[in-house]
Amino acid sequence: MLHGPLGWKLFYFAVPVAVTGILQQLFNAADVAVVGQFASKEAMAAVGSNSPIVGLLVNLFVGISLGANVVISMAIGSGDRERISKAVHTAVVFAVLAGLAMTALGEAISRPMLELLGVPENIMPMALAYLRIYIAGLPVIFLYNFESAIFRSHGDTRTPLICLIISGALNVVLNLFFVIVVGMDADGVALATVISNLTSSLLMFIMLLTAKSDFRVEFSKLRIDGSALAQMLRIGVPAGVQGMVFAISNLCIQSAINSLGSDIMAASSAAFNIEILAYFIINGFGQACTTFTGQNSGARLPERCRTVFKITMLQSLAASVIMPVVLLLPGRFLLGLFNPDPVIADEGMVRMKMVLAFEFINAAMEILSGALRGHGYSLAPALLTLVGVCGLRIFWVFTIFKAHRSFGLLMASYPISWAITAAAIAVYYIVMRKKLYADPAGEAA
């Protein structure tokens, strides 16, 4: 990451990250598709209604794991082997402990959260069963994300991908087994998800135990280093909060979707599982920007950091133009894979068109935030996202949507909130640019 041309290196780093995210979502989509095809629309809606809650929980710790990525990347750039080891062991221990804490909290508030979303009574038992089983698996889900951050911090994006392919294939098989053979519905696909996540996290933990490098995990060193954790949290918590802001706003949007009935709920769930694929491509370049910036910032190579930003921005924008075409052209066919009902295809296309057509705005926001995080500045993007995304979408639901209860109008809140937030983060980036790219002597690069 510190030497030679950057274009193809960034691309080769980003693609496995993107494929990993896409496969994760495809395996989650398999949950929706299996219950939609072999159980009922109600079970499909029950699984889909949990997506914002699951996103709220997972996004927080995916963001914090980015803090671990940046801390380890900076340690690599500066050549500090002891700091690398402390950060790796801290990340593993923190992931498990934080996952256990979130499981305890999540189990206690699972039903109130679903009630807050306005999940219909006929769907509530299945939705609650799915959520409680999923929450029980949070420790291994968090561990997988932190382990992935450890591997990605030194450029290895293939190992997390390989482990995910194995566990994801297992997830699909178990989905079919629990729903078709055992006769379960939403609870069956939740159980399959937990087992598959346990498999991927254990595979990666074994690889860390047997690694022949500074990233090797040793049981005798499994403890939290206060300094490493403080730095991870300083960078990661704002990034996690930024992810949570999207999830919180989606909770509000989901509540509005639920008020439109089970057909809209099912259609929105199917469309989300398709459109999110474009986001993961964009996010792959965002993570590449963060990781490469982190290492080069640690090595005090500001001009190289600037080049990373330019290249990832171009790559991400290109992806944001190509992916909507790839997904929209066969859109009705893809929606039909979740459920054959034509109403679901009609309403699903409404959401997909509104979101995918403006994905390029989200791409710019992702790279701007990724560059700032790589330099250790993640609080400002989080705060701007809180106001621009969460604030505007909540306002939209309780004013515009309340006055005109249209699914298409509700979905318009996505591109509008992206545009406002992206503009605000761009202004902050421009203001901070001289400081970000100052050379070790304190002069602008």
Side-chain angles (χ1 to χ4, degrees), residues 52-123:
I53 299 176
V54 170
L56 179 68
L57 297 171
V58 174
N59 283 344
L60 173 62
F61 286 90
V62 168
I64 298 177
S65 72
L66 284 176
N69 186 327
V70 173
V71 170
I72 299 170
S73 295
M74 287 181 169
I76 295 169
S78 62
D80 191 337
R81 300 179 65 181
E82 182 180 359
R83 187 176 161 207
I84 294 171
S85 178
K86 287 181 178 179
V88 166
H89 288 87
T90 296
V92 171
V93 175
F94 177 77
V96 175
L97 294 179
L100 290 171
M102 289 300 295
T103 294
L105 175 63
E107 294 292 349
I109 65 173
S110 54
R111 186 178 185 90
M113 290 179 74
L114 290 173
E115 290 174 345
L116 184 65
L117 284 175
V119 173
E121 281 302 317
N122 66 316
I123 293 173

Side-chain angles (χ1 to χ4, degrees), residues 13-29 55 58-59 62 145 152 164 272-288 316 319-320 323 327 356 359 362-363 366-367:
F13 181 98
V15 168
V17 174
V19 173
T20 299
I22 288 172
L23 286 177
Q24 280 182 311
Q25 191 59 41
L26 287 175
F27 298 139
N28 291 337
V58 174
N59 283 344
V62 168
N145 283 295
R152 289 169 183 164
L164 182 67
F272 170 80
N273 279 283
I274 298 169
E275 78 199 23
I276 196 73
L277 303 183
Y279 167 75
F280 283 120
I281 298 287
I282 293 166
N283 179 255
F285 291 109
Q287 290 204 37
S316 184
S320 71
M323 285 304 296
L327 295 175
L356 288 171
E359 199 69 64
N362 199 20
E366 191 74 21
I367 300 302

Side-chain angles (χ1 to χ4, degrees), residues 339-424:
N339 191 282
D341 191 332
V343 174
I344 290 178
D346 291 340
E347 298 296 342
M349 286 300 295
V350 170
R351 171 169 181 146
M352 287 176 61
K353 289 176 181 177
M354 185 63 71
V355 173
L356 288 171
F358 298 95
E359 199 69 64
F360 67 93
I361 305 174
N362 199 20
M365 185 166 58
E366 191 74 21
I367 300 302
L368 287 164
S369 297
L372 289 164
R373 288 192 204 107
H375 285 285
Y377 296 91
S378 57
L379 180 58
L383 293 176
L384 293 171
T385 303
L386 175 63
V387 176
V389 172
C390 191
L392 189 141
R393 289 182 187 175
I394 291 174
F395 170 80
W396 192 275
V397 167
F398 288 101
T399 57
I400 308 297
F401 173 73
K402 187 176 180 180
H404 307 280
R405 291 172 53 79
S406 160
F407 184 47
L409 187 64
L410 179 62
M411 291 298 102
S413 64
Y414 283 95
I416 292 173
S417 60
W418 285 342
I420 292 173
T421 306

Side-chain angles (χ1 to χ4, degrees), residues 168-387:
L170 176 63
N171 182 45
V172 173
V173 172
L174 291 176
N175 276 342
L176 295 170
F177 173 76
F178 287 133
V179 174
I180 298 175
V181 179
V182 180
M184 301 170 74
D185 43 56
D187 54 347
V189 296
L191 183 58
T193 298
V194 171
I195 294 173
S196 63
N197 277 302
L198 174 63
T199 301
S200 60
S201 62
L202 284 177
L203 285 172
M204 293 183 69
F205 188 70
I206 292 171
M207 292 181 183
L208 288 172
L209 287 174
T210 57
K212 305 294 183 182
S213 67
D214 297 330
F215 305 94
R216 180 174 181 171
V217 169
E218 300 177 38
F219 283 107
S220 61
K221 295 182 180 180
L222 281 173
R223 64 180 66 90
I224 289 180
D225 178 79
S227 176
L229 179 60
Q231 191 176 10
M232 285 181 196
L233 295 179
R234 181 178 64 81
I235 299 170
V237 168
V241 169
Q242 185 172 345
M244 281 185 66
V245 165
F246 280 103
I248 290 170
S249 66
N250 287 339
L251 283 172
C252 187
I253 296 291
Q254 185 64 47
S255 179
I257 290 171
N258 292 348
S259 71
L260 297 174
S262 59
D263 281 347
I264 297 296
M265 290 173 67
S268 180
S269 175
F272 170 80
N273 279 283
I274 298 169
E275 78 199 23
I276 196 73
L277 303 183
Y279 167 75
F280 283 120
I281 298 287
I282 293 166
N283 179 255
F285 291 109
Q287 290 204 37
C289 183
T290 296
T291 304
F292 276 69
T293 299
Q295 277 208 24
N296 284 282
S297 177
R300 298 189 175 186
L301 299 171
E303 186 57 40
R304 197 167 174 84
C305 293
R306 188 195 296 272
T307 304
V308 167
F309 172 78
K310 292 178 181 178
I311 293 175
T312 51
M313 180 63 79
L314 290 173
Q315 291 173 332
S316 184
L317 288 174
S320 71
V321 173
I322 295 170
M323 285 304 296
V325 176
V326 171
L327 295 175
L328 284 174
L329 287 178
R332 296 186 68 86
F333 168 77
L334 295 174
L335 289 164
L337 296 178
F338 291 89
N339 191 282
D341 191 332
V343 174
I344 290 178
D346 291 340
E347 298 296 342
M349 286 300 295
V350 170
R351 171 169 181 146
M352 287 176 61
K353 289 176 181 177
M354 185 63 71
V355 173
L356 288 171
F358 298 95
E359 199 69 64
F360 67 93
I361 305 174
N362 199 20
M365 185 166 58
E366 191 74 21
I367 300 302
L368 287 164
S369 297
L372 289 164
R373 288 192 204 107
H375 285 285
Y377 296 91
S378 57
L379 180 58
L383 293 176
L384 293 171
T385 303
L386 175 63
V387 176

